[in-house]
Amino acid sequence: QSVLTQPPSVSGAPGQRITISCTGSSSNIGAGYDVHWYEQLPGTAPKLLIYENSNRPSGVPDRFSGSKSGTSASLAITGLQAEDEGDYYCQSYDSSLSNWVFGGGTKLTVL
Amino acid sequence: QVQLVESGGGVVQPGGSLRLSCAASGFTFSGYGMHWVRQAPGKGLEWVALIRYNGNDKYYADSVKGRFTISRDNSKNTLYLQINSLRGEDTAVYYCATGKKSGDNSHYFEFWGLGTLVTVSS
């Protein structure tokens, strides 16, 4: 059971917009800790996608965006492309556990 | 460009030991905290350990505390993870990652290596 809760799967057609939620608690996201997102394409290592809730590293298309409110955060992907298929993870810090924590991951399928 | 290359994985019997290495290049290694993150087959990501930039402070997940030891050699730009008393649940790909300080004074994982697979099996 992950400290941060994500839906196991989401899907969308090419060109559509999808969102992935990440729900935490008062000891992590709700305590003000930033949320970061990682993309893991099949057979590859994770890659930083969004940092500090809503910032994109250099090279990440503006189709990807992040937001945070209260004890939750969201990743939005617009203009879905086939190459976006993979797993997406949110990450934060938990002050009760004194650990860096991840969501369980969301598998994105492009129909 | 930043490169992180893990090595040292393999098949080990329960109760055995391994030392993983992560060779870093393309950035000032001695200026960054470094993490190990693992991923069991078909499962999600799990943070394992952090070592601060100067090696003075180390932090571990409860699941590995007392069995794993993180260390670094800044003169060799290399991060290590000594893993002892291995259990089946330690079977995973182990990634090293750079720890970038975020606005909340925590870290996010800016760059990742390709990982090294540790399989615990008799």
Side-chain angles (χ1 to χ4, degrees):
Chain A
Q1 207 77 327
S2 301
V3 173
L4 305 178
T5 301
Q6 299 179 233
S9 63
V10 296
S11 62
Q16 283 191 331
R17 177 182 186 270
I18 63 98
T19 60
I20 299 173
S21 61
C22 174
T23 302
S25 68
S26 58
S27 60
N28 41 69
I29 300 174
Y33 289 104
D34 290 330
V35 178
H36 320 285
W37 292 89
Y38 304 87
E39 173 188 74
Q40 187 174 33
L41 301 179
T44 70
K47 171 192 142 186
L48 179 66
L49 194 63
I50 297 286
Y51 67 96
E52 295 174 353
N53 308 312
S54 58
N55 297 305
R56 283 187 309 277
S58 162
V60 173
D62 60 7
R63 301 187 298 107
F64 296 90
S65 63
S67 63
K68 174 190 158 185
S69 178
T71 58
S72 295
S74 287
L75 172 71
I77 309 175
T78 59
L80 264 184
Q81 300 179 1
E83 52 263 39
D84 296 332
E85 272 206 349
D87 297 317
Y88 292 80
Y89 294 90
C90 61
Q91 175 252 313
S92 187
Y93 181 81
D94 191 284
S95 57
S96 292
L97 299 171
S98 297
N99 271 8
W100 284 263
V101 291
F102 288 94
T106 298
K107 184 174 187 62
L108 168 63
T109 301
V110 181
L111 302 169
Chain B
Q1 74 281 19
V2 172
Q3 268 206 314
L4 299 169
V5 180
E6 301 92 338
S7 61
V11 180
V12 61
Q13 291 188 334
S17 299
L18 276 178
R19 189 174 84 151
L20 309 183
S21 299
C22 168
S25 60
F27 66 106
T28 306
F29 180 73
S30 59
Y32 281 81
M34 294 294 297
H35 297 257
W36 287 98
V37 176
R38 68 183 180 182
Q39 185 172 35
K43 302 295 185 184
L45 301 170
E46 180 189 15
W47 173 78
V48 172
L50 158 70
I51 185 167
R52 296 285 188 196
Y53 70 99
N54 56 9
N56 286 351
D57 297 305
K58 305 173 185 182
Y59 306 87
Y60 299 93
D62 286 346
S63 57
V64 308
K65 210 171 285 185
R67 300 187 299 122
F68 288 18
T69 302
I70 190 171
S71 61
R72 65 191 297 160
D73 186 338
N74 285 345
S75 68
K76 294 182 179 178
N77 288 349
T78 303
L79 173 72
Y80 302 101
L81 186 67
Q82 177 69 41
I83 50 180
N84 298 331
S85 305
L86 278 159
R87 308 166 180 166
E89 55 264 38
D90 296 320
T91 294
V93 174
Y94 286 73
Y95 297 100
C96 63
T98 60
K100 179 81 170 181
K101 210 161 211 184
S102 61
D104 61 2
N105 218 32
S106 176
H107 278 181
Y108 57 92
F109 310 109
E110 188 176 19
F111 297 105
W112 298 66
L114 298 180
T116 187
L117 176 62
V118 173
T119 302
V120 183
S121 173
S122 54

Coordinates of all heavy atoms in Angstrom, one line a residue, chain A residues 36-72:
Chain A
H36 N 6.4 15.8 -7.2 CA 7.2 15.7 -8.4 C 6.7 14.5 -9.2 O 6.1 13.5 -8.6 CB 8.7 15.5 -8.1 CG 9.2 16.3 -7.0 ND1 9.4 17.7 -7.1 CD2 9.4 16.0 -5.7 CE1 9.8 18.2 -5.9 NE2 9.8 17.2 -5.0
W37 N 6.8 14.5 -10.5 CA 6.3 13.4 -11.3 C 7.4 12.8 -12.2 O 8.3 13.5 -12.7 CB 5.2 14.0 -12.2 CG 3.9 14.4 -11.5 CD1 3.7 15.6 -10.9 CD2 2.8 13.5 -11.2 NE1 2.4 15.6 -10.3 CE2 1.9 14.3 -10.5 CE3 2.5 12.2 -11.5 CZ2 0.6 13.8 -10.1 CZ3 1.2 11.7 -11.1 CH2 0.3 12.5 -10.4
Y38 N 7.3 11.5 -12.4 CA 8.3 10.8 -13.2 C 7.6 10.0 -14.3 O 6.5 9.4 -14.0 CB 9.2 9.9 -12.3 CG 9.8 10.6 -11.3 CD1 9.2 10.9 -10.0 CD2 11.1 11.2 -11.5 CE1 9.8 11.6 -9.0 CE2 11.7 11.9 -10.5 CZ 11.1 12.2 -9.3 OH 11.7 12.9 -8.3
E39 N 8.2 9.9 -15.4 CA 7.7 9.0 -16.5 C 8.6 7.8 -16.7 O 9.8 8.0 -16.7 CB 7.6 9.9 -17.8 CG 7.3 9.1 -19.1 CD 7.5 10.0 -20.3 OE1 8.7 10.2 -20.7 OE2 6.5 10.4 -20.9
Q40 N 8.0 6.6 -16.8 CA 8.8 5.5 -17.0 C 8.2 4.7 -18.3 O 7.2 4.1 -18.2 CB 8.9 4.5 -15.8 CG 9.8 3.4 -16.0 CD 10.0 2.5 -14.8 OE1 9.0 2.3 -14.0 NE2 11.2 2.0 -14.6
L41 N 8.9 4.9 -19.4 CA 8.5 4.2 -20.6 C 8.9 2.8 -20.5 O 9.8 2.4 -19.8 CB 9.0 4.9 -21.8 CG 8.6 6.4 -21.9 CD1 9.3 7.1 -23.1 CD2 7.1 6.6 -22.0
P42 N 8.2 1.9 -21.3 CA 8.5 0.5 -21.2 C 10.0 0.1 -21.3 O 10.6 0.5 -22.3 CB 7.7 -0.1 -22.3 CG 6.5 0.8 -22.5 CD 7.1 2.2 -22.2
G43 N 10.5 -0.6 -20.3 CA 11.9 -1.1 -20.4 C 12.9 0.0 -20.1 O 14.1 -0.3 -20.4
T44 N 12.5 1.1 -19.6 CA 13.5 2.2 -19.4 C 13.5 2.6 -17.9 O 12.6 2.2 -17.2 CB 13.2 3.4 -20.3 OG1 12.0 4.1 -19.8 CG2 13.1 3.0 -21.8
A45 N 14.5 3.4 -17.6 CA 14.6 4.0 -16.2 C 13.6 5.2 -16.1 O 13.2 5.8 -17.1 CB 16.0 4.5 -16.0
P46 N 13.2 5.5 -14.9 CA 12.3 6.6 -14.7 C 13.0 7.9 -15.1 O 14.3 8.0 -15.1 CB 12.1 6.7 -13.2 CG 12.3 5.3 -12.7 CD 13.4 4.8 -13.6
K47 N 12.2 8.9 -15.5 CA 12.8 10.2 -16.0 C 11.9 11.3 -15.3 O 10.7 11.2 -15.3 CB 12.7 10.3 -17.5 CG 13.0 11.6 -18.1 CD 12.6 11.7 -19.6 CE 12.0 13.0 -20.0 NZ 11.4 13.0 -21.3
L48 N 12.6 12.3 -14.8 CA 11.9 13.4 -14.2 C 11.0 14.2 -15.3 O 11.5 14.6 -16.3 CB 12.9 14.4 -13.6 CG 12.3 15.7 -12.9 CD1 11.4 15.3 -11.7 CD2 13.4 16.6 -12.6
L49 N 9.7 14.4 -14.9 CA 8.8 14.9 -15.9 C 8.3 16.3 -15.4 O 8.2 17.3 -16.2 CB 7.6 14.0 -16.0 CG 6.6 14.2 -17.1 CD1 7.2 14.0 -18.5 CD2 5.4 13.3 -17.0
I50 N 8.0 16.4 -14.1 CA 7.5 17.7 -13.5 C 8.2 17.8 -12.1 O 8.2 16.8 -11.4 CB 6.0 17.7 -13.3 CG1 5.2 17.6 -14.6 CG2 5.6 18.9 -12.4 CD1 5.3 18.9 -15.4
Y51 N 8.7 18.9 -11.8 CA 9.3 19.1 -10.4 C 8.7 20.3 -9.7 O 8.2 21.2 -10.4 CB 10.8 19.2 -10.5 CG 11.3 20.5 -11.2 CD1 11.7 21.6 -10.4 CD2 11.5 20.5 -12.5 CE1 12.1 22.7 -11.0 CE2 11.9 21.7 -13.2 CZ 12.3 22.8 -12.4 OH 12.7 23.9 -13.0
E52 N 8.7 20.2 -8.4 CA 8.1 21.3 -7.6 C 6.7 21.6 -8.1 O 6.4 22.8 -8.3 CB 9.0 22.5 -7.6 CG 10.3 22.2 -6.9 CD 11.3 23.4 -7.0 OE1 11.0 24.4 -7.7 OE2 12.4 23.3 -6.4
N53 N 5.9 20.6 -8.2 CA 4.4 20.7 -8.5 C 4.1 21.0 -9.9 O 3.1 20.4 -10.4 CB 3.8 21.7 -7.5 CG 4.1 21.5 -6.1 OD1 4.0 20.4 -5.6 ND2 4.6 22.6 -5.4
S54 N 4.8 22.0 -10.5 CA 4.3 22.4 -11.8 C 5.4 22.9 -12.8 O 5.1 23.4 -13.8 CB 3.4 23.6 -11.6 OG 4.0 24.7 -10.9
N55 N 6.6 22.6 -12.5 CA 7.7 23.0 -13.3 C 8.2 21.9 -14.2 O 8.3 20.7 -13.8 CB 8.9 23.5 -12.5 CG 8.5 24.7 -11.6 OD1 8.1 25.7 -12.2 ND2 8.7 24.6 -10.3
R56 N 8.5 22.2 -15.5 CA 9.0 21.2 -16.4 C 10.5 21.4 -16.6 O 11.0 22.5 -16.9 CB 8.3 21.4 -17.8 CG 6.9 20.9 -17.9 CD 6.4 21.0 -19.4 NE 6.7 22.4 -19.9 CZ 5.8 23.4 -19.7 NH1 4.7 23.2 -19.0 NH2 6.1 24.6 -20.3
P57 N 11.2 20.3 -16.5 CA 12.7 20.3 -16.8 C 12.8 20.7 -18.3 O 11.9 20.5 -19.1 CB 13.2 18.9 -16.6 CG 12.1 18.3 -15.7 CD 10.8 18.9 -16.1
S58 N 14.0 21.2 -18.6 CA 14.3 21.5 -20.0 C 14.1 20.2 -20.9 O 14.5 19.1 -20.5 CB 15.8 22.0 -20.1 OG 16.3 21.9 -21.4
G59 N 13.4 20.4 -22.0 CA 13.2 19.2 -22.9 C 11.9 18.5 -22.8 O 11.5 17.8 -23.6
V60 N 11.2 18.8 -21.7 CA 9.8 18.2 -21.5 C 8.8 19.1 -22.2 O 8.7 20.3 -21.9 CB 9.5 18.0 -20.0 CG1 8.0 17.6 -19.8 CG2 10.4 17.0 -19.4
P61 N 8.0 18.5 -23.1 CA 7.1 19.3 -23.9 C 6.0 20.0 -23.0 O 5.7 19.4 -21.9 CB 6.4 18.3 -24.8 CG 7.3 17.1 -24.8 CD 8.0 17.1 -23.5
D62 N 5.5 21.1 -23.4 CA 4.4 21.8 -22.6 C 3.1 21.1 -22.7 O 2.1 21.6 -22.1 CB 4.3 23.3 -23.0 CG 3.9 23.4 -24.5 OD1 3.6 22.4 -25.1 OD2 3.9 24.6 -24.9
R63 N 3.0 19.9 -23.3 CA 1.8 19.1 -23.2 C 1.6 18.5 -21.8 O 0.5 18.1 -21.4 CB 1.9 17.9 -24.2 CG 2.1 18.3 -25.7 CD 2.0 17.1 -26.6 NE 3.0 16.1 -26.4 CZ 2.8 14.9 -25.8 NH1 1.6 14.6 -25.4 NH2 3.8 14.0 -25.7
F64 N 2.7 18.5 -21.1 CA 2.7 18.0 -19.7 C 2.6 19.1 -18.7 O 3.4 20.1 -18.8 CB 4.0 17.1 -19.4 CG 4.1 15.9 -20.3 CD1 4.8 16.0 -21.5 CD2 3.6 14.7 -19.9 CE1 4.9 14.9 -22.3 CE2 3.7 13.6 -20.7 CZ 4.4 13.7 -21.9
S65 N 1.7 19.0 -17.8 CA 1.6 20.1 -16.7 C 1.2 19.4 -15.4 O 0.6 18.3 -15.4 CB 0.6 21.1 -17.2 OG -0.7 20.5 -17.3
G66 N 1.6 20.1 -14.3 CA 1.2 19.6 -13.0 C 0.6 20.7 -12.1 O 0.8 21.9 -12.4
S67 N -0.2 20.2 -11.2 CA -0.8 21.2 -10.2 C -0.9 20.5 -8.9 O -0.8 19.3 -8.8 CB -2.1 21.6 -10.7 OG -3.0 20.5 -10.8
K68 N -1.1 21.3 -7.8 CA -1.2 20.8 -6.5 C -2.2 21.6 -5.7 O -2.2 22.9 -5.9 CB 0.2 20.8 -5.8 CG 0.1 20.4 -4.3 CD 1.5 20.7 -3.7 CE 1.3 20.9 -2.2 NZ 2.6 21.3 -1.5
S69 N -3.0 20.9 -4.9 CA -4.0 21.7 -4.1 C -4.3 20.8 -2.9 O -4.7 19.6 -3.0 CB -5.3 21.9 -4.9 OG -6.2 22.6 -4.1
G70 N -4.2 21.4 -1.7 CA -4.5 20.7 -0.5 C -3.6 19.4 -0.3 O -2.4 19.5 -0.3
T71 N -4.3 18.3 -0.2 CA -3.5 17.0 0.0 C -3.4 16.2 -1.3 O -3.1 15.0 -1.3 CB -4.2 16.1 1.1 OG1 -5.6 15.9 0.7 CG2 -4.2 16.8 2.4
S72 N -3.7 16.9 -2.5 CA -3.6 16.2 -3.7 C -2.8 16.9 -4.8 O -2.6 18.1 -4.6 CB -5.0 15.9 -4.3 OG -5.7 15.1 -3.4

